[in-house]
Structure formats: structure tokens, C-alpha cells
């Protein structure tokens, strides 16, 4: 690497160190913790609130409720307190040593019968401690579609305008260093962010020069626009910060933001203690049964039980407690207390399709200044910066820029006909045969909303993330059309993990949209200035050319999970198959709410961490 490019890169890094360290925000590493319970004998007899699940949502709600020192909260978490050294480093998007739980999906009929790993964060801090630290928020229209399911009169602020204050409350922004902003044309608008939250969103102090051609090529294709700030609710190309603190440049997540340092004797966590079921008396939640070291215990909740076990385990907890579709409960020998057909249905995840096009020419841009792994000299320089000031390439997690495209840009020629097709199809015929009529009605309402979104230039349908070394990575489908289920296993409803069925591609429009995502990915690499970087298509391969063949290949190349499970305790009217109302209370029960991503009726076009924080912040206000 030439001396001049070294100078440029290190100058950027040094100036940012001054900016970031100049905030004077201290994040002390020694922690005066709230009470960590190690044995059930140390528990209070009753807590005001018992929260099942100490993840992104659970710890946020616990923090907010215990701000009142007279309110006692117990969080039961099935995972452990993880080793901080496995969780905090940001480089590359996490160490992949964070504790996860891996289930296996049912064989996917439309994906050549393959099963897929269902990967879940499994630690105190939940998936906020496991994810790639991307802070996307999604489209304003995504949240407006939540509210529309209740109607304008009745949505109680479950729309973009109503949620924006909670997004702001949930996250503190730390803008990018000025030099970097100028050099890489980074735009941002702090008015969409907050300043008070212990959860930090921070831009790294370095970006790779290989981003230049990748980002400018986005704009060479029709309909691609830029969006000023990732938090503004728009679609297009935008920069987004990392869940990272601005002092130590480490992961900022639910545990270090919403538990450590609080020193609140009224906030208890019991780890390695999976919730077993909700205790109900005449439909009123009175406590929780949980497991610890293979023994079973019960703890009382004098005010409410709050479920925050995530979209895979929250429906299991409801179903084993007797709240769910009667047919599912009966088949598992569980007595039905509340027949609630929606529990565990409406399951959604983002998905990806494993197309791969490499750009060998990227390595010639600023020779070796693109690739930490390939050049020992560059790596040594990076290590020195990191060791001295926590600046440089090691402050990058998973990258900070992507195209978040509306369907109008992905397929300017076909979006209209695809929207027509979605609008006019027999929606219910694409659900499971035994789908409850209310669940089917909810699906119709969702698909009609999605058809409108397909014609909007403001709803994100796909994400194309760029890696400065390798180019744009596989397309992500950010608006699923198919609905799966998460149900208890009749063979052993308590002991076995729930049965996870994505029902990928069960709505045929999903396959067609996947084809359009691949075609756009090809145009981006082969029909823009990126052509000069010598694109090589690794998958699906140039022999798979026309739409019909691509459609067949989608079954081979699709992964039905992009790690964003949601929707299994949906906030919708009861007559649309909803599980919780606008206050997140479970229908036909008392003192029982769901406060996690299960309540999202439809996924937003974004990584789910930030939306989950916002849901939890709003829930905390509703509960108090
Ligand atoms: C609780 O907070 C109130 C108001 O800030 C304070 O006066 C009181 O001493 C606190 N009680 C405890 C037990 O910390
Ligand atoms: C920033 O803008 C300059 C000048 O228009 C352009 O050459 C460069 O490619 C852009 N870089 C990025 C990352 O947008
Ligand atoms: C670390 O920051 C200090 C103060 O800004 C600066 O003088 C020094 O050169 C930096 N060290 C490295 C290796 O960048
Ligand atoms: C880009 O991809 C390379 C090769 O897979 C990987 O080593 C590197 O960490 C990635 N860079 C970023 C910023 O994610």
C-alpha cells in the first residue's frame, strides 16, 4: 500500500478518535449490578411483575418498570450470563462465540424438503447480544400498516408517528466523525434519534475505500434514491450506525444498557431458568412456573406476567399454559383455558436467496486497503490503531451502508403486475389447510396492505448490503408473503422445543419476487460501472438464465431465516386472528401481556433489534 493512502486512512482515524473521546461520556466497566439471583431460595415470595425472557425486550421493560423503586421485577432467563469477551467485540459483526440456541425447522416442502437451522440468541441480553449490530429501523409505512389493521380510530399510536418517540427513547445516536462524513458522503439527521438512552448507536471511525464504486453503482439503476437518515422511515440507499458505545467501541446491548450499572435492589434476574408455563386462575395470570437445575419452581406475580421469550418461545409458553388453538392444544393433551386460534400462527421471518456475484477488481482499489485478512501490513496498522485509540478498521462491525430498495426500484417493469396478482389471489388457499377463519381473515388484510406497499417507493422490500472487499452480498427479502407456524410438539409439549415451520414460498408471489431480487442483483453487477471490476457469478450461475429456471433455482438457493422471527402473538383485532390487543394484553385473559417481537403483526423491512426496543419502550409506558 502506498504512503499516501496510509496517510489518508490514519488521518481519518485519528480525527475520529478525538471526536468520539471528546464526548466525555464515561462507560465504566466495573459494574454495580442490580441483584443477580443464583438460587430460587433467594427469590421474593411475589414480585409485582415477572418477565419471562431476559432479552432485548425483557430487559428494556424490566429497566423501565424498576425506575420506580417501589416496583419489584423478576426476569427469568433460560440462557446464562455470557462471557463478556465473547459478546462485546464488534469487529466483523460479532465473534460468533455468543451463546445461541439452535433448533431445526420442519422439512420445507417448497425448498426441496430441506430442514433449516432456527438460530436464536440464548443469553441474558438475548439476541441483542448475538446479532450483527445493525441498527435499521424499517419504513414508516411498515408501522402504519400495523395501525391500519385496527383502523385509524383505534390504533392507539401503533403507527409511525406514534412509534417515533419510542424509537428516539430507545437509542442514543453518536454521529460519524466529520472527516469520514465528507469523504464517504455519509448523511444523517440526528432529529430522528434520541440522546438519553443507555443503548448507543455509533458510527465506526473508519470505512473502506472499496465502498465508493459499490455505493455509486446503486444510483445507476432506475428508481434508486438516497435516504438522508436510516431512522427517517424512508427507503433507498442509506448509512446506518452500529449498536456500539462511543467510548470503548464495544457492543451496546440490552444487558449492558438495561441492567448493568443500575444498582437497583428491586430488579432481579435469575439466569439458566427457563419459564415453563404461566400460572392462571380463572384466566388471570398469577405467576410463572420455571425450571432451575432440573427442578420445578413457582413464583407469584402480584400485578402482571410479561412474556418476552421471543417469537419462537413465547407462543410455546402460551400454548403449554392452555392459551392457543384448541386443536393444537388437544393434540398435545393440554387443557384449553382460552381458545385463541392465532397463537403460534402468522409466523414470519426475513429470508435470503444465496445468489453470489464476486467483484475481483475491488481488490485493486487502494491496493490492500480493503481487506484485513489479506494483507499483514494493513492488518498490523489496523491493530495498532485499535490498541492505541480503538479506531480504524476494527471499529467496523458488519458495515454501515446498504441499498434498502422498494419493489418499484427492484422491478420497475413488473411491480404493478405482481401487486395486482397479490391483490387478486385467493389468499386463504395459501395458508395451512386447517387455518382458522379468523387467522385467514387476518392474512387477507395483511396481503392487501402488502400489495399497496408493493406500489410504493417508500416501503423497503429488499436489502443489498455491500462489503467493500467482496461486493454486494446475497439479497434479503424484507417483506415475507408466506406465513408459517410455531406450535408445541404433541410428543412432549413441555420438554421438546416447539415445532417451527416457515412454510417458505407457500404464497407463489414470494417466489416471483425472489426471482426479481436475483435479476436486480445481476443488473447491479453486470449493467453498471461495476462491470469494469470483472464480476463473476458464482450462484445461481450463468447457465440459469430465464425467469422459469430462476424460479426453480429459488427452491435450491433460499434460506427461510434471516434471524428475524416475529408475528406469533400478533397484535391484531381478535376477529383477524390476533393474540394481543393494542395494549399488548392477551385476549380473554387478565394480567398477561406479550412485549417482544411476537406481537409484530407484519415484519418491518429492517433487522428486528431496533423495532423490538421501540415496542418494549412503548409497552413499558402502557404497563405503568
Ligand atoms: C425511592 O425513591 C424515592 C424518591 O426518589 C426516595 O425518596 C426513596 O428513598 C427511595 N427508596 C428506596 C428504598 O431507595
Ligand atoms: C462520494 O462522492 C464522490 C463524489 O461524488 C464519489 O466519487 C464517491 O464515489 C462517493 N462515495 C461514496 C461511498 O458514496
Ligand atoms: C491515538 O490518539 C492520539 C490522540 O489523538 C494520537 O496522538 C495518536 O497518534 C493516536 N495513535 C494512533 C496509533 O493512531
Ligand atoms: C467482508 O467480507 C470478507 C470476506 O468474507 C470478511 O472477511 C470481512 O470481514 C467482511 N467485511 C465486513 C466489513 O463485513
Amino acid at each position: 500500500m502506498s504512503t499516501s493512502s496510509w496517510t489518508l486512512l490514519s488521518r481519518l482515524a485519528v480525527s475520529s478518535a478525538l471526536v468520539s473521546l471528546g464526548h466525555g461520556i464515561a462507560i465504566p466497566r466495573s459494574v454495580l449490578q442490580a441483584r443477580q439471583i443464583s438460587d430460587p431460595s433467594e427469590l421474593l415470595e411475589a414480585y409485582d411483575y415477572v418477565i419471562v425472557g431476559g432479552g432485548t425486550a425483557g430487559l428494556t421493560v424490566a429497566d423501565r418498570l424498576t425506575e420506580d423503586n417501589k416496583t419489584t421485577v423478576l426476569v427469568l432467563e433460560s440462557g446464562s450470563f455470557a462471557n463478556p469477551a465473547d459478546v462485546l467485540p464488534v469487529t466483523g459483526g460479532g465473534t460468533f462465540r455468543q451463546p445461541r440456541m439452535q433448533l431445526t425447522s420442519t422439512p420445507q416442502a417448497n425448498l426441496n424438503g430441506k430442514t433449516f437451522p432456527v438460530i436464536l440468541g440464548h443469553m441474558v441480553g438475548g439476541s441483542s447480544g448475538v446479532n450483527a449490530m445493525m441498527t435499521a429501523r424499517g419504513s414508516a409505512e411498515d408501522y402504519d400498516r400495523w395501525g391500519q389493521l385496527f383502523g385509524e380510530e383505534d390504533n392507539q399510536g401503533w403507527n409511525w408517528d406514534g412509534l417515533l418517540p419510542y424509537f428516539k427513547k430507545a437509542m442514543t445516536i453518536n454521529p460519524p466523525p466529520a472527516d469520514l462524513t465528507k469523504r464517504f458522503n455519509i448523511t444523517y439527521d440526528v432529529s430522528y434519534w434520541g440522546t438519553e438512552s443507555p443503548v448507543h448507536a455509533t458510527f465506526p471511525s473508519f470505512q473502506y475505500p472499496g465502498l465508493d464504486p459499490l455505493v455509486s453503482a446503486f444510483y445507476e439503476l432506475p428508481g434508486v434514491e438516497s435516504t438522508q437518515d436510516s431512522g427517517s422511515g424512508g427507503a433507498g440507499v442509506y448509512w446506518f450506525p452500529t449498536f456500539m458505545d462511543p467510548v470503548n467501541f464495544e457492543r451496546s446491548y440490552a444487558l449492558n444498557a438495561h441492567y448493568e450499572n443500575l444498582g437497583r435492589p428491586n430488579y432481579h434476574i435469575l439466569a439458566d431458568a427457563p419459564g415453563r408455563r404461566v400460572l392462571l386462575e380463572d384466566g388471570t395470570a398469577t405467576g410463572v412456573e420455571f425450571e432451575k437445575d432440573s427442578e420445578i419452581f413457582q413464583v407469584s406475580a402480584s400485578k402482571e406476567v410479561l412474556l418476552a421469550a421471543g417469537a419462537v418461545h413465547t407462543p410455546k409458553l402460551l400454548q403449554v399454559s392452555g392459551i392457543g388453538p384448541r386443536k393444537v392444544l388437544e393434540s398435545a393433551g393440554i387443557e384449553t383455558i382460552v381458545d385463541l386460534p392465532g397463537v403460534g400462527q402468522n409466523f414470519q421471518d426475513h429470508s435470503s436467496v444465496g445468489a453470489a456475484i464476486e467483484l475481483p477488481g475491488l481488490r485493486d482499489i487502494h491496493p490492500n486497503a480493503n481487506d484485513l485478512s489479506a494483507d499483514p501490513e494493513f492488518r498490523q496498522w489496523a491493530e495498532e490503531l485499535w490498541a492505541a485509540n480503538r479506531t480504524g478498521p476494527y471499529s467496523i462491525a458488519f458495515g454501515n451502508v446498504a441499498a434498502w430498495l422498494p419493489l418499484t426500484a427492484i422491478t420497475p417493469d413488473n411491480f404493478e403486475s405482481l401487486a395486482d396478482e397479490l391483490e387478486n389471489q385467493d389468499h386463504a388457499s395459501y395458508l395451512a389447510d386447517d387455518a382458522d377463519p379468523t387467522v385467514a381473515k387476518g392474512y387477507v388484510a395483511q396481503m392487501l396492505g402488502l400489495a399497496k406497499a408493493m406500489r410504493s417507493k417508500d416501503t423497503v422490500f429488499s436489502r443489498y448490503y455491500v462489503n467493500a472487499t467482496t461486493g454486494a452480498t446475497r439479497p434479503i427479502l424484507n417483506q415475507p408473503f408466506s406465513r408459517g407456524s410455531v406450535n408445541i410438539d404433541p410428543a412432549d409439549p413441555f420438554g421438546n422445543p416447539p415445532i417451527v415451520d416457515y412454510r417458505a414460498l407457500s404464497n407463489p408471489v414470494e417466489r416471483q419476487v425472489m426471482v426479481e431480487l436475483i435479476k436486480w442483483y445481476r443488473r447491479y453487477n453486470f449493467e453498471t460501472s461495476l462491470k469494469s471490476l470483472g464480476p463473476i457469478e458464482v450462484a445461481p450461475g450463468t447457465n440459469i438464465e430465464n425467469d422459469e429456471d430462476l424460479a426453480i433455482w429459488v427452491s435450491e438457493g433460499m434460506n427461510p431465516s434471516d434471524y428475524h422471527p416475529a408475528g406469533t402473538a400478533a397484535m391484531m383485532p381478535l376477529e383477524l386472528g390476533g393474540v394481543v390487543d393494542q395494549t399488548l394484553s392477551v385476549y380473554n385473559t387478565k394480567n398477561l401481556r406479550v412485549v417482544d417481537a411476537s406481537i409484530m403483526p407484519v415484519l418491518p423491512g429492517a433487522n428486528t433489534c431496533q423495532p423490538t426496543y421501540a415496542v418494549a419502550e412503548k409497552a413499558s409506558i402502557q404497563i405503568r
Side-chain angles (χ1 to χ4, degrees), residues 55-61 63-64 125-129 131 134-136 143 158 163 165-172 197-201 243-244 251-258 595-597 600 607-620:
T56 315
L59 296 188
T60 302
V61 172
D63 176 1
R64 297 309 183 192
S127 294
S128 71
N131 65 22
M134 292 175 69
T135 57
Y143 300 97
W158 288 102
L163 274 163
Y166 297 104
F167 278 111
K168 291 187 184 184
K169 187 172 185 197
M171 311 268 304
T172 291
S197 176
V199 178
H200 282 269
F243 282 112
M244 174 167 79
R251 181 191 294 268
S252 179
Y253 71 118
L255 176 63
N256 58 14
H258 288 302
V595 297
D596 63 22
M600 298 179 184
N607 307 52
T608 37
C609 193
Q610 201 186 151
T612 301
Y613 277 125
V615 165
E617 293 285 8
K618 183 167 162 93
S620 306

Side-chain angles (χ1 to χ4, degrees), residues 87-406:
V87 175
L88 297 177
V90 297
T91 306
T95 59
F96 295 95
R97 292 196 301 265
Q98 307 95 339
R100 293 141 198 251
M101 177 188 281
Q102 184 168 326
L103 311 181
T104 302
S105 79
T106 59
Q108 294 298 292
N110 297 319
L111 304 181
N112 302 337
K114 286 183 286 187
T115 62
F116 290 85
V118 179
I119 296 171
L120 309 168
H122 191 225
M123 53 182 276
V124 184
S127 294
S128 71
V130 172
N131 65 22
M133 292 164 272
M134 292 175 69
T135 57
R137 193 175 289 184
S139 316
E141 291 177 348
D142 293 338
Y143 300 97
D144 289 342
R145 279 186 284 120
W146 291 10
Q148 281 153 16
L149 294 163
F150 285 99
E152 292 304 322
E153 303 292 295
D154 221 15
N155 64 47
Q156 297 188 23
W158 288 102
N159 53 24
W160 173 252
D161 288 343
L163 274 163
L164 188 54
Y166 297 104
F167 278 111
K168 291 187 184 184
K169 187 172 185 197
M171 311 268 304
T172 291
I173 187 73
N174 303 282
D179 284 19
L180 215 55
T181 305
K182 191 153 175 266
R183 164 65 184 80
F184 287 92
N185 323 317
I186 301 173
T187 63
Y188 62 91
D189 180 347
V190 295
S191 72
Y192 290 103
W193 298 81
T195 54
E196 305 290 324
S197 176
V199 178
H200 282 269
T202 302
F203 283 90
S205 51
F206 179 90
Q207 293 295 338
Y208 288 97
L211 292 177
D212 287 333
L214 293 168
V215 172
S216 40
F218 282 143
Y219 299 112
E220 294 171 31
L221 291 168
V224 179
E225 290 168 14
S226 78
T227 287
Q228 171 85 359
D229 189 274
S230 68
S232 68
V237 177
Y238 57 73
W239 288 78
F240 51 93
T242 301
F243 282 112
M244 174 167 79
D245 76 67
V247 174
N248 294 315
F249 292 88
E250 290 174 331
R251 181 191 294 268
S252 179
Y253 71 118
L255 176 63
N256 58 14
H258 288 302
Y259 178 66
E260 290 178 351
N261 305 311
L262 290 179
R264 289 189 194 144
N266 53 331
Y267 180 171
H268 293 185
I269 295 186
L270 182 64
D272 304 300
R276 237 175 88 83
R277 66 185 175 111
V278 181
L279 302 170
L280 293 157
E281 277 171 29
D282 300 326
T284 299
T286 58
V288 174
E289 188 171 273
F290 64 94
E291 212 180 298
K292 177 75 182 169
D293 300 327
S294 311
E295 279 187 78
I296 292 171
F297 300 88
Q298 295 189 339
V299 61
S300 299
S302 48
K303 289 188 173 150
E304 293 190 27
V305 171
L306 307 172
L307 298 183
V312 171
H313 285 94
T314 286
K316 175 183 170 178
L317 282 161
L318 287 168
Q319 290 184 0
V320 293
S321 307
I323 303 168
R326 183 183 295 275
K327 237 182 298 180
V328 172
L329 306 193
E330 271 175 1
S331 74
I334 303 280
E335 187 199 343
T336 303
I337 293 172
V338 179
D339 182 9
L340 202 48
V343 176
Q345 317 314 302
N346 192 49
F347 176 50
Q348 298 160 54
D349 200 335
H350 293 140
S351 57
S352 65
V353 63
I357 301 174
E358 287 174 3
L359 287 168
L362 274 177
R363 292 184 191 259
D364 301 330
I365 298 168
H366 280 260
N368 301 329
N370 256 343
D371 195 346
L372 217 39
S373 57
D375 178 14
E377 225 185 319
F378 179 64
R379 189 168 64 241
Q380 195 193 338
W381 172 79
E383 280 166 4
E384 280 168 15
L385 288 184
W386 182 248
N389 294 324
R390 301 223 158 202
T391 53
Y394 282 107
S395 67
I396 298 178
F398 192 67
N400 300 89
V401 62
W404 308 78
L405 298 181

